[in-house]
Amino acid sequence: MAFIEWNDSLSVGVNIFDTDHKKLISLANSLHDSITVGSQQGALEPILNELVKYTVYHFGREEGLMLQYAYPAYDTHKKEHDALVEKVQDYYEQVLAGKTSISLSLIGFLKEWLINHIMKSDREYREFFEKRGVK
Ligand code: FEO
């Protein structure tokens, strides 16, 4: 069983974002699996880097569509995105500086954040985009 399993309750009703979320889950699962098999930090860093980069890319796509359609909760949503990016980028810099390591507690935090954010904040835009014909 995968560390994070995709299921329909995670769907936000916008195909490109469901695809993005599946990719993020897949990267988180790869990182988790690499940690649990005891991979060296040097092998984990590129996976974490890709996860951070894809997260930034995905957040930008959501924010772009929100701005395009004047989504009312844009500011609140963007603040959540910015807070995570800042936290994970800081963490990644500490990893590169050898001050901390990529651990199961990090991936546990990312799992909880991702699931909570998709299930609550992301799903809140579902009806908004649905009414505007965005799928
Ligand atoms: Fe799918 Fe708001 O991140």
Side-chain angles (χ1 to χ4, degrees), residues 1 13-15 17 23 47 60 62 69 72 75 78 90 92 110 128:
M1 186 174 162
V14 180
N15 287 332
F17 299 153
K23 169 86 174 169
I47 309 173
E62 273 188 0
Y69 285 88
D75 287 343
K78 182 168 171 36
D90 281 354
Y92 185 61
L110 288 174
F128 176 85

Side-chain angles (χ1 to χ4, degrees), residues 91 102-110:
Y91 190 93
I102 301 168
S103 62
L104 283 175
S105 66
L106 167 71
I107 199 70
F109 162 78
L110 288 174

Side-chain angles (χ1 to χ4, degrees), residues 12 17 20-21 24 55 58-59 62-63 66 77-78 80-81 113-114 117-118 121-122 125:
V12 295
F17 299 153
D20 282 355
H21 291 149
L24 288 171
T55 300
H58 164 64
F59 286 172
E62 273 188 0
E63 290 161 17
M66 287 174 183
H77 202 114
K78 182 168 171 36
E80 285 185 35
H81 286 173
W113 192 94
L114 198 58
H117 182 79
I118 293 172
S121 305
D122 283 355
Y125 61 56

Side-chain angles (χ1 to χ4, degrees), residues 48-90:
L48 179 58
N49 187 32
E50 196 181 346
L51 181 56
V52 173
K53 281 199 298 189
Y54 202 86
T55 300
V56 170
Y57 167 75
H58 164 64
F59 286 172
R61 297 221 297 174
E62 273 188 0
E63 290 161 17
L65 201 67
M66 287 174 183
L67 284 174
Q68 188 182 334
Y69 285 88
Y71 181 59
Y74 169 81
D75 287 343
T76 311
H77 202 114
K78 182 168 171 36
K79 274 183 194 155
E80 285 185 35
H81 286 173
D82 289 349
L84 180 77
V85 168
E86 190 181 338
K87 187 164 186 158
V88 178
Q89 280 178 336
D90 281 354

